[in-house]
Each structure stands twice: as structure tokens, then as C-alpha cells.
Amino acid sequence: MAIPAALAIVPIGILFFVSGFVVNLIQAVLFILVRPVSKSLHRRINKIVAELLWLELIWLVDWWAHLKIEVYADDETFELMGKEHALLICNHRSDIDWLVGWILAQRSGCLGSALAVMKKQAKVLPIIGWSMWFSDYLFLERSWAKDETTLKSGFKRLEDFPMPFWLALFVEGTRFTEAKLQAAQEYAVTRGLPIPRNVLLPRTKGFVSAVVHMRSFVPAIYDCTVDVDKSQPAPTMLRIFRRQSSVINLQIKRHSMQEVPETADGISQWCKDVFVTKDAMLEKYHTKGTFSDQKHQHIGRPKKSLFVVIFWSNLLIFGIVMSFQFLSFLNSWQVLSFSVTLLVLVTIVMQILIHSSESEHSTPPPKLTFSDQAKERLLQK
């Protein structure tokens, strides 16, 4: 049942803010005291600690909004998920694609070691961005002169990762919107490239770097294709808070790293071909209603996230009771000031997080101009 977003954002936000602050504090202590002694031990402990925060978002999807994720993959791929290092590439279709990835990782037992390459602004997001920074996420400035070195050193750090990890890379570089699709189509026309209809053109430099530097210790690439059931609106964080459900389709194809060419040009072309295939698959889905020819896999709805939210809720209630005992020594105006300050902080944090997840606030498409001949060719496709 749909509800006004504000009724959910404030109480859930208080829970997320308080628990997130505790998790970030623990992560900071671990980073200072444990990581210099043993990076492997730090990563193992941090995995558990980070999941205490990230599972709250899994709960939002599974138990609050009841989003349904339909996963398609062959049995071999499904069996290997969470048991090996993997590089994930995916089209960036909705505002919560990253959260869909977390859900899949949680079902595979590697939520706390699910990493991603993200824009640097993400690491300063309150609570969630800080937890990602402590968890070895890679953050880019979107300047290849700087990012090339950042990626190389980041991939190198993962070589001794003590447990199976996933590294997600959205090679389109930004979330899908119609404006960005039009820009990609016009660019493709001028360069003689296949004209996309359902994906953006991949930016392959980061992918090439990932394959070159990680192919010796990462055995697989998971080629993920995601789309929303065409009869429903795309999911957003606001829709989730309102308990408005959606059905999300996700196909996963496993490629051995040995399948990928050795040369930089070959790696780049391999990635481009993968996205041409994705585009054709999504076009078939939109026109014929068939999403995937892979086997439908049941991923269930584990109760672990529910238990984590119950744990934090009880801890929060205990904290509130203890706080009121402390605040009883203060006058009513001081208590009111404290309460208002907390609510304002929570509201600001949640607004920042929701705002950052919205596609209209992602990287804008480049402003390009094209000849009438190019535009005419585009319309004929």
C-alpha cells in the first residue's frame, strides 16, 4: 500500500542516521587500529560491519517496498556467484541499479565485499558514502589524466583481497535518460557506430584498464542487463519510501576472462559488442515482451535484513529512553532544541541521499551539434 513519503522518511531516516553514525565510527576505528596491522583482517571485519548498515537498504527493498527482482542466468553462473572474484558490467537503467546489485550480492553472500567504481562526489555522501570509502570503493574525478592512475592503483590493491569480491563498473558512465540517449544516437551517427535504442554508448577506457590489470586474479566478467517491467514506472528511492513496488528484470551472463582479447583495442571492441547485444536484447523485450532466454532463478527473500533492522530499532529505542533520562535534567527548551536539531539533521541527510540517487541530477549529456544530414540519418534508423 502506497503511503506519503514523509511518513516513512523521518522514522527510517532517524534509524539510518543513528545506526550509520555508529557503523561509520566503528569503521573509522578499525581503519586506524586494524588496517595498519593486517589489511586482510581489516577487510574481513569491515565486511561484517558494513553489512550492518547496507542490510537496512536491502530491508527497504525486500520488506518495506516489496520490490520483485526476476533473475535470469544459467545454472553454472548462478552457482558460481559469490564464490569467485568477478568484474561486473551493467547498463545503468534506473536510479537504484546499484541497490539491485547489492541485493544480488547479498543473496550470493558477498554484500560486504561488493565494490564499485563511482564518481568522487559519492564518497562525501553522509553515512553511505563514508561507509563505501572505508570498504575499498574506487572514486573517480572523470578526468582520465587523473583517473588512469587512480584505477591502476585501486585494481592493484584488490589483488590480495581475502574473500570473493565483485567490482561493478557502469561503463556507460551515467544513468540512462532520453536526453542522454538522443545525444548518444547523434554521436553514433557522426562516427558510423551502431545506433543504440535502449542503452548508451560504453566508455571503454576504464573497462580496458580493469581487464588489463585484473585479468591475472579475476577469473570472470558478469555481463548484467537490467530493465524495469515495461508496464510499471521505473523504481526510485522516493517510490520505495512510499512502498510502491516494481518488478525489475536482471539477466546475468558469465564470461571467462580468457574470452576477452589481450590488446587494448580488442578489449574495447569486446565491450562495445557486448552493449550492442544488450541493446538488441532490450529492443526484443520492448517489442515482443520476452526479456531473456536464460533460466529463471529464484533468489528468495532472506530474513537477515529484517533481523538487522529489528536489532537497530531496539537499540535506538533503548538509546531514546536513556536520552530522555539524561535530558530530564535539562529544561523543556533545551530538550525541544535537541529534538528539532536531530530532526533537521536527519531530514537534510535523507534529502541529500535521495537527491543524489535521482537520474535528473546525474551527469548531463554533452552538448553536441550535428548536421541536418546526420540528423536525417538518425531518424531513418
Side-chain angles (χ1 to χ4, degrees), residues 18 21 36 57 64-65 75 94 96 99 114 118 132 184 187 238 244 246 306:
V18 174
F21 180 78
L57 298 175
W64 180 257
D75 289 333
S94 76
I96 65 161
L99 189 49
M118 306 182 72
M132 290 175 175
Y187 179 84
L238 273 179
Q244 295 174 315
S246 299
L306 184 61

Side-chain angles (χ1 to χ4, degrees), residues 293-339:
D293 57 2
Q294 299 290 314
K295 181 178 178 179
H296 179 263
Q297 302 286 352
H298 180 66
I299 63 172
R301 187 175 60 163
K303 296 179 181 178
K304 187 175 181 179
S305 64
L306 184 61
F307 293 149
V308 166
V309 169
I310 292 173
F311 164 76
W312 282 119
S313 298
N314 288 329
L315 200 63
L316 179 61
I317 292 171
F318 175 77
I320 291 174
V321 171
M322 297 299 294
S323 296
F324 272 112
Q325 291 181 0
F326 170 75
L327 293 173
S328 63
F329 295 102
L330 304 177
N331 61 49
S332 57
W333 283 109
Q334 290 173 316
V335 174
L336 180 61
S337 298
F338 174 81
S339 301

